[in-house]
């Protein structure tokens, strides 16, 4: 580029210490080795002395800049609306009822726009300020008044009305809106959307600002409202597997919706959504939207612990017979009650249930009841089952914990390995790179091109086996039905070895139990218990790890759920503990 | 039967080849420790998952490279390239170098890769960041040389040599010198090939003259290339060697001497034994006076007392007239034999045996004593144990003889080494080799040796040295 003219600038680059400057189209110096742009610009002392080339570059620069920023006029919330739309479509493709998109999610979104004063209200937050400015500047843009109408059509947002007329030679240059100009002067920031800069600066109390992770919270809220057969962990797993647009969702924006500058910070995502975050956001949004009590979660709902337990028992290859026990635990703890399960955001203490984590916790509790999981009882019980199975090959086999452990350990290790490899190979960067400013643009695009080139070169060297074809979406991660010898199915095994007759019903043969948490935190630290892995038996660790991997949640939060269920199950014991402050870890059950 | 931890270990070693496990110092196995450490490391600052992807990817590439799974490595490389678009400029700037190193490694070994892919890759990487251009050019040239494409490598180096971008930083100046020097080395290669051809020609032949003239020309050009690098401090052994060879060929002895002196004695250069070796060899070729040779080797002796030139050094010292040189000669010999690598050096032992006798007869008992005092605690076990006696006797009888002579002088009879050898009939050989004119009494076994040693050579040794 204009290296000649940049020669007189002799300072070292702050980033790479090289002295090798070029001039940008705006007359600023940039480092040719690391592309760092300085604040310093070439001083033009005498207009007469400017060589012709210089004038040319300025002209060229202005023209290019115009071309860059042209596109539809659009607002940040429209971008989010577009993402939500795509996500709803994806959910529909996954088999979720069609009402979800048009009735539920649409209404939630409208309500959000209203509550956050962006539309559907008397005085939308930016039209008031902006209308005057824009009308003054550009009389041809009269659609500002109709902004809310534009937004009203959720399913197909129409941006077409906004100014798209092309101005090929720049004779009738469209003045830049005042507010934007003042901003770019102030901090040399800009954005492709109309309110990107304002949006990122906006900090109002009591308003939940939209972010990309929050779109997932919206999705989950509507799934919950519809009582669909998708849990939060499923939703996040679908995101991870690419069935629901999330990372680089902006790629699918219409061509004319240009994103750059501040939009990058708003729409570019470089992290996976985490269960805890989305869960928290979901409650926050539900409260912000002032939603009424959600539809009841009754026993025939997928999210009811009885059903979910059944699902997870199948998933982790445990005998179907355990379902009786899980139902019993659910009943005793009262976590199957409609009032307990149903989400009510306007209740005094808005809180909902982590349905999936809770169901997994119930299974852990049942395993503890049956096998104690103290690194010894489960193995001796396994010995009994093993012996029995050897002697009675014809009968329904008894469940052998050791065998199950071996099978599951191998399966889960393989899955984990696959998962880690897939994560390491994940392609984060979109084909449409985002840049901060027009100076940045060429560099960013060039970099993108380079990466694509190199990737092409290396992809020819990869083993010829096609990269694992995209997994079909499924709520199950394991399939035990067609396992073969290496992956036997334990669903039909009986629990005779660990149950014994006690009166009319069966009770666990093992009469001991230990509590996952002796004492709950009562301080303000917000967590009820902690999970220090090494304090627990290895089999307990294994089971906690197994479920937390399947649900993609933290081990500590699953441990917490287990402790909470135990708290409900052994209420009397806990009140005793308080009185006696006994320290014994093992205690008789009842 | 089995308990849980056994289970765990078994299944763990079965399915994931102990990659993630941690062994404590006592050999115990803590499968959970690694995970725990990871958890600690990521606590506090929350890293973006993008960064996790790239660092995990780097780990996988490293592992694949170590296991020579090139295809797998290429697969991860595909994803690692994203780091070039990292928003963290620190990482983005460091990335090209890592990518170049890993990528060139993969392309070097990958079965499907060929010269063309490597060249395109190198060209792309060269232009990625200005700072990497020269380094990559140089390594690219080395790759080409490795594949025998000297022409291509030379062209590459010439391109890199003339390449300028803004003001070159100081680190790049060294690189340019290095590139020139490699170019010089390539020219040296063709030159020395021509030299070979020349030596086959008849001196009176017409062709000889033209050939030698072109060679002179050639060497002049090359020395320009090599000269610049040699001025900068560093270890440049191959360059110096070829440079000196060409200077000598052109008859520029003074120039060669200056280069070598500079290379050996300039304090800015790191200490380098080869510098002294080259200088010594040059001086030897020049037939420099012994005094000068000794002074060069003296420095080498201080850096590497076990160098193979030390025996030559000893010979020089022995021939010298000066008293202190004689003393140094003894030191040098003992010094050589201090090193485990030299214990089987028969020449050294022969010299020592001869020189010790000379010393003892020449009334320099104090010198011997001085050297021996610091070694008497460990040499007997180090050199003269009965184990060594046995193995030396089996493997190398002449060596055993020389050692026995030395041991006899230093330790006296009846101690491990001599004792053993006497029993195995070394004795007869000793008698044959013995220069004393005395007649040996055959009947008295090792007693004779004792008397022989005592009477013949070691008599003065007894009170002071033997223990």
């Amino acid at each position: 580029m204009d290296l000649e003219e940049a020669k007189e600038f002799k300072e070292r680059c702050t980033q790479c210490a090289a002295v090798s400057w070029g001039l940008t189209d705006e007359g600023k110096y940039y480092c040719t080795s690391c592309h760092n742009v300085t604040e310093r610009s070439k001083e033009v002392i005498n207009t007469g002395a400017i060589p012709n080339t210089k004038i040319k570059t300025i002209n060229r620069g202005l023209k290019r800049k115009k071309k860059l920023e042209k596109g539809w006029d659009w607002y940040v919330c429209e971008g989010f609306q577009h993402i939500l739309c795509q996500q709803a479509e994806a959910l529909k493709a996954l088999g979720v009822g069609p009402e979800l998109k048009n009735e539920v999610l649409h209404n939630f979104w409208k309500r959000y726009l209203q509550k956050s004063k962006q539309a559907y209200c008397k005085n939308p937050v930016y039209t008031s300020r902006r209308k005057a400015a824009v009308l003054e500047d550009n009389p041809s843009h009269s659609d500002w008044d109709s902004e809310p109408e534009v937004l009203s059509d959720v399913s197909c947002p129409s941006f077409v009305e906004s100014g798209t007329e092309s101005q090929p030679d720049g004779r009738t240059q469209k003045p830049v809106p005042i507010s934007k100009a003042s901003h770019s002067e102030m901090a040399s920031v800009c954005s492709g959307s109309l309110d990107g800069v304002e949006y990122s600066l906006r900090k109002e109390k009591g308003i939940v600002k939209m972010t990309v992770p929050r779109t997932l919270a919206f999705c989950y809220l509507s799934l919950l409202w519809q009582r669909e057969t998708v849990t939060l962990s499923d939703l996040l797993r679908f995101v991870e597997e690419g069935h629901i647009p999330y990372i680089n969702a902006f790629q699918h924006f219409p061509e004319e919706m240009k994103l750059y500058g501040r939009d990058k910070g708003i729409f570019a995502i470089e992290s996976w959504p985490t269960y805890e975050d989305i869960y928290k956001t979901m409650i926050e949004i539900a409260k912000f939207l002032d939603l009424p009590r959600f539809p009841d979660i009754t026993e025939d709902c997928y999210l009811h612990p009885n059903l979910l337990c059944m699902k997870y028992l199948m998933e982790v290859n445990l005998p179907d017979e355990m379902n009786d026990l899980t139902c019993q635990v659910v009943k005793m703890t009262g976590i199957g009650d409609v009032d307990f399960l149903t989400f009510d955001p306007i209740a005094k203490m808005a809180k909902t249930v982590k349905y999936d984590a809770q169901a997994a916790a119930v299974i852990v509790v049942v395993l503890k009841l049956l096998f104690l999981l103290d690194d010894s009882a489960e193995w001796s019980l396994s010995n009994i089952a093993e012996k029995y199975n050897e002697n009675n090959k014809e009968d329904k086999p008894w469940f052998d914990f050791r065998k199950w452990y071996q099978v599951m350990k191998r399966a889960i290790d393989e899955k984990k390995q696959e998962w880690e490899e897939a994560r390491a190979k994940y392609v984060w960067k979109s084909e449409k790179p985002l840049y901060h400013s027009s100076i940045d643009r060429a560099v960013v695009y060039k970099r993108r091109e380079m990466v694509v080139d190199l990737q092409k070169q290396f992809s020819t060297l990869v083993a010829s086996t096609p990269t694992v074809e995209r997994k079909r979406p499924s709520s199950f991660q394991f399939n035990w039905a067609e396992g073969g010898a290496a992956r036997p199915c334990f669903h039909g095994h009986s629990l005779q070895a660990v149950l014994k007759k006690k009166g009319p019903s069966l009770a666990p043969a093992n009469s001991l139990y230990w509590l996952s948490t002796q004492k709950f935190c009562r301080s303000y630290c917000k967590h009820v218990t902690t999970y220090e892995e090494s304090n627990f038996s290895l089999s307990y660790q294994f089971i906690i790890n197994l479920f937390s991997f399947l649900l993609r949640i933290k081990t500590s939060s699953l441990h917490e759920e287990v402790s909470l269920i135990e708290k409900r199950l052994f209420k009397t014991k806990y009140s005793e503990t308080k009185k006696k402050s006994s320290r014994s870890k093992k205690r008789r059950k009842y | 039967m089995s308990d849980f931890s056994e289970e765990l270990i078994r299944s763990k070693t079965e399915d994931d080849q102990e990659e993630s496990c941690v062994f404590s110092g006592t050999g115990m196995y803590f499968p959970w420790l690694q995970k725990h450490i990871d958890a600690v490391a990521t606590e506090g600052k929350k890293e973006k998952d993008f960064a996790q992807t790239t660092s995990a990817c780097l780990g996988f590439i490293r592992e694949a490279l170590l296991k020579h799974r090139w295809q797998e490595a290429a697969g991860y490389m595909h994803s690692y390239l994203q780091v070039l678009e990292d928003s963290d400029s620190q990482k983005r700037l460091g990335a090209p170098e890592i990518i170049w190193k890993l990528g060139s490694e993969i392309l070097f070994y990958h079965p499907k890769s060929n010269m063309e892919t490597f060249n395109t890759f190198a060209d792309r990487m060269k232009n990625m960041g200005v700072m990497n251009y020269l380094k990559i050019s140089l390594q690219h040239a080395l790759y080409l040389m490795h594949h025998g494409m000297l022409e291509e490598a030379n062209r590459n180096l010439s391109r890199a040599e003339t390449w300028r971008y803004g003001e070159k930083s100081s680190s790049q100046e060294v690189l340019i010198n290095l590139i020139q020097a490699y170019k010089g080395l390539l020219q040296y290669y063709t030159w020395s090939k021509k030299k070979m051809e020349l030596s086959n020609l008849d001196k009176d032949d017409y062709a000889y003259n033209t050939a030698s003239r072109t060679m002179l020309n050639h060497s002049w050009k090359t020395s320009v290339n090599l000269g610049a690098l040699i001025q900068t401090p560093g270890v440049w052994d191959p360059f110096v060697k070829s440079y000196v060879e060409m200077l000598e060929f052109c008859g520029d002895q003074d120039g060669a001497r200056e280069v070598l002196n500079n290379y050996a004695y300039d304090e800015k250069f790191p200490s380098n034994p080869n510098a002294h070796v080259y200088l010594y060899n040059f001086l030897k070729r020049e037939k420099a006076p012994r005094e000068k040779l000794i002074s060069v080797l003296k420095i080498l002796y201080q850096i590497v007392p076990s160098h193979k030139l030390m025996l030559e050094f000893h010979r020089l010292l022995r021939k010298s007239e000066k008293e202190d040189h004689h003393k140094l000669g003894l030191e040098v010999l003992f010094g050589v034999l201090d090193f485990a690598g030299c214990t089987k050096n028969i020449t050294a032992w022969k010299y020592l045996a001869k020189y010790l006798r000379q010393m003892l007869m020449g009334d320099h008992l104090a010198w011997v004593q001085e050297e021996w005092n610091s070694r008497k605690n460990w040499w007997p076990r180090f050199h003269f144990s009965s184990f060594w006696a046995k193995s030396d006797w089996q493997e190398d009888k002449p060596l055993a003889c020389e050692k026995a002579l030395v041991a006899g002088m230093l330790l006296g009879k009846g101690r491990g080494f001599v004792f053993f050898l006497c029993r195995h009939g070394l004795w007869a050989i000793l008698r044959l080799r013995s220069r004393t004119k005395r007649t040996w009494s055959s009947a008295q076994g090792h007693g004779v040796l004792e008397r022989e040693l005592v009477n013949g050579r070691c008599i003065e040794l007894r009170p002071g040295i033997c223990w």
Side-chain angles (χ1 to χ4, degrees), chain A residues 305-325:
Chain A
N306 284 353
L307 281 174
L308 273 180
C309 280
M310 194 144 43
K311 187 221 155 181
Y312 288 122
L313 283 176
M314 278 169 79
E315 177 86 306
V316 299
N317 207 3
L318 283 167
D320 299 334
E321 278 180 29
M322 272 176 71
N323 198 33
D324 290 343
L325 285 155

Side-chain angles (χ1 to χ4, degrees), chain B residues 297-313:
Chain B
L297 286 180
K298 215 182 224 167
I299 299 172
L300 184 62
Y301 169 64
Q302 270 147 21
I303 310 173
V304 195
S306 63
H307 198 277
K308 61 175 186 270
L309 276 178
M310 284 305 115
L311 295 177
E312 211 169 316
F313 184 38

Side-chain angles (χ1 to χ4, degrees), chain A residues 188-201:
Chain A
S188 78
V189 282
C190 55
S191 67
S193 58
L194 284 175
D195 59 339
V197 179
E198 274 166 73
Y199 192 87
S200 47
L201 294 174

Side-chain angles (χ1 to χ4, degrees), chain A residues 95-331:
Chain A
V96 167
E99 314 82 50
L100 180 121
K101 181 182 166 191
N102 293 335
E103 281 157 36
V104 186
L105 188 56
H106 183 196
N107 271 319
F108 284 168
W109 179 242
K110 277 199 284 194
R111 209 178 166 105
Y112 170 78
L113 290 178
Q114 197 173 33
K115 289 269 176 196
S116 61
K117 299 208 177 80
Q118 297 186 68
Y120 304 110
C121 58
K122 274 193 177 159
N123 215 358
V125 78
Y126 16 66
T127 16
S128 55
R129 202 182 330 150
R130 189 177 287 266
K131 212 192 295 176
V134 174
L135 280 177
E136 226 177 273
D137 282 329
N138 200 353
S140 71
H141 281 239
S142 55
D143 40 71
W144 295 108
D145 306 292
S146 56
E147 181 63 33
E149 275 86 35
V150 174
L151 286 167
S152 67
D153 190 357
V154 177
S155 52
C156 50
S158 52
F159 306 97
V160 198
E161 294 106 299
S162 328
T164 50
E165 61 267 56
S166 55
Q167 289 157 326
D169 48 10
R171 254 183 300 132
T172 51
Q173 282 190 355
K174 185 176 102 186
V176 194
I178 281 176
S179 60
K180 200 182 207 171
S182 65
H183 270 299
S184 52
E185 273 164 29
M186 193 174 67
S188 78
V189 282
C190 55
S191 67
S193 58
L194 284 175
D195 59 339
V197 179
E198 274 166 73
Y199 192 87
S200 47
L201 294 174
R202 207 171 147 201
K203 273 182 207 121
E204 263 166 76
K205 246 195 177 166
I207 289 221
V208 175
K209 240 166 78 172
M210 202 54 196
T211 61
V212 182
R214 284 189 174 136
T215 57
L216 289 179
F218 267 98
C219 288
Y220 183 60
L221 272 178
S222 27
L223 287 169
L224 190 58
W225 186 275
Q226 286 298 94
R227 292 179 289 181
E228 287 289 349
T229 57
V230 180
T231 59
L232 180 51
S233 59
D234 287 333
L235 180 74
L236 298 186
R237 193 160 48 80
F238 291 145
V239 168
E240 190 183 285
E241 287 168 6
H243 302 303
I244 295 172
Y246 176 72
I247 284 156
N248 294 336
F250 61 85
Q251 269 191 107
H252 307 294
F253 284 3
E255 188 61 33
E256 293 82 357
M257 272 172 83
K258 302 285 181 205
L259 276 98
Y260 55 88
R262 280 299 172 95
D263 303 332
K264 189 179 173 184
I266 300 169
F267 289 103
I269 286 291
E270 290 201 333
S271 281
W272 296 104
T274 63
Y275 188 100
E276 304 293 325
D277 278 354
I278 305 293
Y279 178 77
K280 256 186 249 155
T281 337
M282 179 202 95
I283 297 177
E284 190 189 11
I285 289 176
K287 275 193 331 207
F288 176 68
L289 298 185
D290 223 5
L291 293 177
R293 186 181 151 113
F294 276 51
D296 285 351
I297 293 190
T298 50
E299 259 181 69
D300 52 348
C301 280
Y302 178 72
L303 294 177
H304 191 275
N306 284 353
L307 281 174
L308 273 180
C309 280
M310 194 144 43
K311 187 221 155 181
Y312 288 122
L313 283 176
M314 278 169 79
E315 177 86 306
V316 299
N317 207 3
L318 283 167
D320 299 334
E321 278 180 29
M322 272 176 71
N323 198 33
D324 290 343
L325 285 155
T326 56
C327 289
Q328 230 169 307
V329 170
V330 167
K331 205 169 158 197

